[in-house]
Amino acid sequence: VQLQASGGGLVQAGGSLRLSCLASGLTFSHSAMAWFRQAPGKEREFVAAITGSGFSTEYANSATGRFTISRDNAKNTVYLQMNTLKPEDTAVYYCAADRATWNPRGSYAYWGRGTQVTVSS
């Protein structure tokens, strides 16, 4: 299984970015997908998750109202649209996948390498 995250970069506070994660080696439409992030000196934290069908989503409080997770099963890709970015959103963002029962904030079997998001003030 490979998860390739992309779309990170440097953006000013208030700006937007869209992260993408291309998955291969798994039955994508049967896999829940999630985004986590890790800031320097902090533990990795949950950001958002989506079921295989895309019907259900869950967000961290910090992401609610600003971030949107979505997926395109025809393209084996999950997205994270991030709006109204804040300096505290600066982190490495990782995508993750799992075929187990829906447990959005739980452990995931597969992880990508991450993409850096830096928000300047």
Side-chain angles (χ1 to χ4, degrees), residues 22-101:
L22 175 64
S24 60
L26 76 170
T27 305
F28 187 72
S29 61
H30 293 178
S31 300
M33 301 295 295
W35 289 96
F36 287 75
R37 68 186 184 186
Q38 187 167 19
K42 295 187 177 181
E43 293 187 354
R44 186 173 62 195
E45 64 176 2
F46 170 78
V47 177
I50 187 168
T51 55
S53 65
F55 187 76
S56 296
T57 58
E58 182 157 324
Y59 295 91
N61 288 341
S62 59
T64 300
R66 299 188 301 126
F67 295 1
T68 302
I69 189 170
S70 63
R71 64 191 296 156
D72 185 338
N73 285 350
K75 295 182 178 180
N76 279 18
T77 301
V78 63
Y79 305 97
L80 184 68
Q81 177 67 44
M82 305 186 293
N83 299 327
T84 320
L85 283 161
K86 305 174 182 180
E88 50 264 44
D89 294 318
T90 295
V92 177
Y93 284 70
Y94 299 91
C95 64
D98 204 286
R99 291 194 59 190
T101 303

